[in-house]
């Protein structure tokens, strides 16, 4: 494992979210605080996000899923049963970055979907073949993700995995700029499996001390 280099020169970006639940909201808080623009979307009309956007404040907008999916970096944060339908309706990704923040829970039972031994993020990658998929943001509970990334003299850990080194570096730089400690676990196959629910990393709130 290697830690990504912290990005001191934070570039202001536009990030779209497919889904506007707890994970998307938790990340949006940090992104907006850092001066980024966040395009939130859900399966309903953007007007349904009016109150949430008002609460989040400057830089947040409610948009359609199609518009959110056209942002340079997009966060997939919908329940697992909706992943296939959402991605099949999305425009061609054309090499844009898709952060897979999903976990393969079935609702409302919270049982795990039978992936037949496969890695969930590889399934996401197949559904969005022209996207650069990076697995991230799924191992922390949303309540912990929403908390200050800085914990005393340490930083809260977020893991990333992916097959495109440049995409991982860009996502890692973004998250580092928000104050998180980013640890690269490797490919979607290896790192993505380590991040899945049922692994030793899922649900664990880790803090890294030192550089």
């Amino acid at each position: 494992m290697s830690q990504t280099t912290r990005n001191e020169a934070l570039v202001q970006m536009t990030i779209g979210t497919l889904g506007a639940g707890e994970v998307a909201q938790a990340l949006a808080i940090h992104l907006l605080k850092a001066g980024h623009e966040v395009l939130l979307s859900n399966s309903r009309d953007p007007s349904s996000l009016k109150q949430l956007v008002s609460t989040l404040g400057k830089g947040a907008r409610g948009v359609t899923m199609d518009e959110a999916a056209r942002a340079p970096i997009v966060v997939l944060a919908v329940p697992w049963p909706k992943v296939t339908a959402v991605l099949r309706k999305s425009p061609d990704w054309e090499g844009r970055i898709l952060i897979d923040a999903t976990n393969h829970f079935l609702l409302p039972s919270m049982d795990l979907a039978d992936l037949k031994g496969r890695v969930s993020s590889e399934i996401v990658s197949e559904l969005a073949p022209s996207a650069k998929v990076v697995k991230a943001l799924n191992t922390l509970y949303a309540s912990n993700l929403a908390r200050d990334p800085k914990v005393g003299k340490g930083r809260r850990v977020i893991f990333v995995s992916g097959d495109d080194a440049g995409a991982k570096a860009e996502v890692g730089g973004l998250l580092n700029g928000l104050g998180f400690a980013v640890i690269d676990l490797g490919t979607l196959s290896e790192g993505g499996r380590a991040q899945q629910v049922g692994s030793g990393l899922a649900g664990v709130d880790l803090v890294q001390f030192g550089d």
Side-chain angles (χ1 to χ4, degrees):
M1 295 186 295
S2 63
Q3 179 181 325
T4 60
T5 302
R6 188 168 186 178
N7 183 8
E8 299 296 343
L10 181 62
V11 177
Q12 307 309 302
M13 301 189 68
T14 298
I15 293 90
T17 75
L18 300 178
E22 292 181 346
V23 171
Q25 292 176 39
L27 178 63
I29 290 169
H30 300 302
L31 291 169
L32 295 169
K33 184 178 180 181
H36 298 293
E37 180 183 35
V38 181
L39 307 181
L40 296 143
S41 72
N42 59 18
S43 58
R44 300 181 295 281
D45 189 272
S47 63
S48 67
L49 297 169
K50 184 176 180 180
Q51 183 174 349
L52 172 60
V53 166
S54 177
T55 299
L56 289 172
K58 182 180 178 181
R61 284 202 291 135
V63 300
T64 64
M65 282 193 154
D66 185 84
E67 185 176 352
R70 295 181 187 276
I73 296 179
V74 181
V75 181
L76 179 64
V78 297
W80 183 256
K82 295 184 178 181
V83 165
T84 297
V86 166
L87 292 180
R88 283 181 175 170
K89 291 178 181 178
S90 297
D92 191 289
W93 290 91
E94 299 178 325
R96 295 190 305 282
I97 294 173
L98 178 62
I99 300 176
D100 177 19
T102 66
N103 286 307
H104 58 293
F105 289 114
L106 297 174
L107 301 177
S109 68
M110 297 303 288
D111 292 333
L112 293 179
D114 182 5
L115 303 181
K116 302 187 184 305
R118 305 181 70 201
V119 177
S120 62
S121 286
E122 290 185 310
I123 296 172
V124 168
S125 186
E126 290 176 3
L127 291 168
S130 59
K132 297 175 181 177
V133 176
V134 177
K135 186 71 171 181
L137 305 172
N138 72 302
T139 60
L140 287 175
Y141 288 110
S143 57
N144 286 330
L145 179 61
R147 297 171 67 185
D148 192 334
K150 297 180 181 179
V151 183
K153 295 183 179 180
R155 293 184 294 149
R156 186 161 274 110
V157 171
I158 289 182
F159 298 101
V160 298
S161 303
D163 297 334
D164 187 287
K168 278 195 296 184
E170 189 165 351
V171 172
L174 174 66
L175 296 173
N176 262 315
L178 301 181
F180 292 98
V182 181
I183 296 178
D184 182 354
L185 296 182
T187 65
L188 283 181
S189 177
E190 295 177 355
R193 189 178 297 279
Q195 288 174 243
Q196 283 193 164
V197 176
S199 75
L201 299 179
V204 179
D205 188 19
L206 299 174
V207 176
Q208 182 183 76
F209 294 91
D211 295 332

